[in-house]
Each structure stands twice: as structure tokens, then as C-alpha cells.
Amino acid sequence: MIRIGFIIGLLLWCTTTQAQQRPHYSQYLQNMSVLNPAVTGLNKGMDLRLGVRSQWQGLKDAPKTGYVTFSTPISFGGDMANYRSSDLGVSEPVTKDDMYDYTASMPHHAFGVLFLNDKTGPLNRVTGNLTYAYHLAVGERANLSIGVGLGASRLGLNSSALLFEEEGDPTVGGGGEINKYLPDLNAGIYFYGPTFYVGASMQQIIKNSVAFDGNFNVGKEVAHYFVTVGNQFWINNNFSVTPSVMLKVVNPLPKAFDLNLKFSYNNKLWIGGGYRKDDAFFGTFGFSVANIVVLGYTYDYTTSNLNTVSTGSHELTLRVLL
């Protein structure tokens, strides 16, 4: 008989096998590239970001996610060959006065990488992507980028953690780690300026089978669609408020959304919160040091039926601009 902890985890996975298969992120605003490859190379210089998320604390075998992204604009070919990478991309306005001085980046290429590790009980997905984006200037104060991420995932099942009534159940083989390697393809588009952004992306374009046994073909990946919109409003020269929303479409689930509100001082210190439909309320805060190192933390208060066994979720992000 399968142990109770794994039943909960397996039910969560089986539910998401036909629905939500990608991790939740409460701090996606701090690392939009986990959702949209078109954000690759948006900022000046090299951009390194790391994040960890512990979902549903108190629930045995609950999801744990870690990720690393790196991107940089690249100057090569034609007129771009005469520019340094640090001349390309944009810098976020720190004050309202900076907003008026904001100019669009010159058209440029950008490359990056993404590594993601997502573990739920005995199931573990490791994904590696190479990302590319091209940023085109639209007028003097806006850019439009189109991006793609291509790589592979290793979906692993630790069958030794499973206990069956019949030893050596053929559904998962004879025990030990069972791995399945899958291609991964994502794409997106992003329109942005000094105070606004609008993005759309699609993940898991290739709908791979996720069955671990050739005779068991029920599980299959489904496409995930994301739409993100946000705008920063300056209260005075130093303080701003940024409302934003993310719409998520994963058939056959109902459409889901995140609502966010962020209050910021000079884009160096911020506090905010949000609501994820039928899942959680969350609060977040963060700060930057010399506009080079940025730290952020979010706590989710679970509002679904899991709140009877979970004390919430924690997420921590680190960003380093080189």
C-alpha cells in the first residue's frame, strides 16, 4: 500500500498531469524570465537571478522549487558590432525624474540560460533551457521583444519510495530511480517601457508523454499560457505604486489569475502583496544594495482546503547585476 504522504503528493501530480504542471511563483515579478523567454537580455549588462520556493509548509512531500537564470544583451553583426553589451538593454528608473530621461534600448540580440529543479515527493523535474530574445525599439521610449527557450527536462521517479501490495509492481518497474528525458520548448513576446509592461508566453509547447512505463500512456504534458500586465504610477519623485496582474490558462482548468500591488521607494525598497485565485494571499518585501544586489522574500497564506495541513509557503529571490 502506498504511504499516505505520497498519496497526497501523487494526487497533486495526477491532478496537474492534466492541468497545472509548472511551479507556482509569487515573485515572478522579480524574475519574469521563469515565465517568458522574451525578457532575456532586457536589462543592461549581465543579469544573474536565483530563487527558491518551499510550497505548503507542513505538508509531507510538498513541492520544493529552485531556479537559476542568467542573461545578457549581445552586440554582434552590422551596426551592433560597434557597441559593448553594457550599452544595450535598459535600466529601471529609480525616481520619477529618471522616468522622464528613460530611452528605449537600441535593437539587440540577447542570450541566456535557465535551470529549474522542481521536486514533489518522489517526483523530480530538472529542466535546462537556452534562451534567446531579439529586442526591437518601438519609438524613442519603448521596446518589443520576441523570445524562445529550447532545452530538455529530466523527469525522475524514485520508485524505491513507493510501497505496493504486490512487490515489483510493473507500473513503475523494479525499483530505484526511473528517468524520462523530454524536449522542452517555450516562446513569448514582451512590450515594455519606462513604467509599463505587457507580456504573453507559452510553455510546454511540445506536449510530451509523461508516463514512466510504455504500456501506461495516460499522463501527458499540456500547454501553459501566461499573460502579464503591469504599470508603475509615481506618487512623487521617490515613491511609486505598481499594480499588476497575471492571467494563467491551462486546459482543462478554469482560468486563474494573480493580482499584485507593490509600493516602492526609489525602486530600492518595496513592500507589497497579492492574491492568487483559489489558492493564497501573499505578502512580499525586498530591497536593493547599490542597484547591484537585490533580495526579495514572499510569504503565502494558503486559502485552499490545504490550509488545514499547511502553514503557508515561502519564496526567496536573489538578483545580481554585473
Side-chain angles (χ1 to χ4, degrees):
M1 182 176 181
I2 304 177
R3 59 190 175 88
I4 297 299
F6 175 66
I7 287 179
I8 297 175
L10 185 59
L11 286 176
L12 290 170
W13 173 259
C14 289
T15 300
T16 60
T17 298
Q18 297 298 329
Q20 172 69 33
Q21 297 165 337
R22 293 283 174 150
H24 285 304
Y25 303 102
S26 294
Q27 288 207 55
Y28 63 89
L29 294 176
Q30 300 304 118
N31 193 1
M32 191 71 74
S33 56
V34 296
L35 300 179
N36 193 337
V39 180
T40 300
L42 182 151
N43 296 106
K44 289 182 180 293
M46 294 179 285
D47 195 341
L48 174 67
R49 308 195 190 203
L50 304 90
V52 291
R53 179 175 176 84
S54 182
Q55 185 90 2
W56 300 321
Q57 288 288 298
L59 179 63
K60 188 174 179 60
D61 294 334
K64 289 181 171 53
T65 306
Y67 58 85
V68 178
T69 67
F70 175 82
S71 69
T72 183
I74 298 293
S75 57
F76 66 88
D79 295 338
M80 289 295 97
N82 298 321
Y83 292 96
R84 299 173 300 173
S85 295
S86 58
D87 295 325
L88 307 173
V90 298
S91 297
E92 298 177 4
V94 173
T95 66
K96 186 176 182 180
D97 289 342
D98 292 339
M99 179 193 68
Y100 295 120
D101 295 331
Y102 180 98
T103 58
S105 171
M106 292 174 289
H108 64 274
H109 306 273
F111 291 93
V113 294
L114 179 149
F115 294 102
L116 171 69
N117 183 63
D118 187 39
K119 180 175 175 58
T120 304
L123 291 164
N124 187 45
R125 178 190 290 268
V126 179
T127 299
N129 276 184
L130 295 175
T131 60
Y132 166 81
Y134 182 74
H135 297 256
L136 176 69
V138 180
E140 297 181 354
R141 292 174 59 81
N143 286 91
L144 177 67
S145 64
I146 299 174
V148 63
L150 177 63
S153 294
R154 178 183 67 82
L155 186 61
L157 173 65
N158 181 12
S159 61
S160 298
L162 312 182
L163 299 177
F164 293 90
E165 293 180 354
E166 297 181 9
E167 186 176 353
D169 191 295
T171 303
V172 293
E177 185 79 14
I178 304 172
N179 296 312
K180 188 175 182 68
Y181 294 89
L182 310 169
D184 188 51
L185 177 64
N186 314 297
I189 187 169
Y190 203 70
F191 181 55
Y192 59 97
T195 61
F196 69 90
Y197 66 85
V198 180
S201 61
M202 179 180 180
Q203 296 186 340
Q204 293 188 172
I205 295 176
I206 303 173
K207 301 175 183 179
N208 300 292
S209 167
V210 295
F212 288 96
D213 184 88
N215 298 319
F216 186 73
N217 296 311
V218 176
K220 192 172 185 178
E221 291 183 331
V222 295
H224 290 46
Y225 302 90
F226 300 90
V227 176
T228 52
V229 180
N231 192 85
Q232 184 177 30
F233 297 94
W234 288 93
I235 300 172
N236 56 35
N237 193 49
N238 302 106
F239 288 92
S240 66
V241 58
T242 305
S244 60
V245 62
M246 178 181 72
L247 173 67
K248 178 166 53 181
V249 180
V250 185
N251 289 323
L253 281 183
K255 295 179 178 64
F257 60 83
D258 284 25
L259 299 176
N260 298 268
L261 194 63
K262 171 183 170 183
F263 296 90
S264 176
Y265 172 73
N266 285 347
N267 277 344
K268 294 180 179 179
L269 178 67
W270 68 88
I271 187 170
Y275 170 69
R276 183 180 303 112
K277 181 177 179 290
D278 298 329
D279 182 63
F281 287 99
F282 51 91
T284 183
F285 72 89
F287 61 92
S288 69
V289 180
N291 293 324
I292 297 176
V293 177
V294 183
L295 285 170
Y297 168 77
T298 296
Y299 170 75
D300 291 19
Y301 174 76
T302 305
T303 58
S304 69
N305 292 335
L306 288 174
N307 63 10
T308 59
V309 292
S310 169
T311 58
S313 306
H314 303 272
E315 188 170 341
L316 185 66
T317 59
L318 170 67
R319 179 186 182 190
V320 181
L321 290 170
L322 305 177

